[in-house]
Amino acid sequence: MNTIARRRLVKAQVIDVKVAKTAVNASKRQRAEAVKVLRKDMAAEHFNQLRAAS
């Protein structure tokens, strides 16, 4: 295998890793966003229950 072919292979692997990392970060962001929304909804529900009780 010559140097150019080896470089192309390495470059392709690096790009694959970048794509995979981007996908992981996107799913982490989505999960964080979902948690934030869920927490906000739960807090609102709790607050409404407290207000209804008083």
Side-chain angles (χ1 to χ4, degrees):
M1 180 185 287
N2 64 11
T3 316
I4 294 171
R6 196 175 294 129
R7 277 194 193 141
R8 281 192 186 134
L9 260 179
V10 169
K11 205 170 195 179
Q13 285 175 335
V14 168
I15 290 170
D16 286 347
V17 168
K18 280 183 182 173
V19 168
K21 279 186 179 177
T22 305
V24 166
N25 285 339
S27 77
K28 278 184 186 173
R29 267 199 300 274
Q30 284 176 335
R31 202 175 312 131
E33 191 63 34
V35 166
K36 201 170 14 175
V37 169
L38 184 64
R39 195 174 285 146
K40 196 182 269 186
D41 287 349
M42 285 172 67
E45 194 176 318
H46 184 68
F47 180 73
N48 287 337
Q49 286 174 351
L50 287 176
R51 205 166 54 184
S54 61

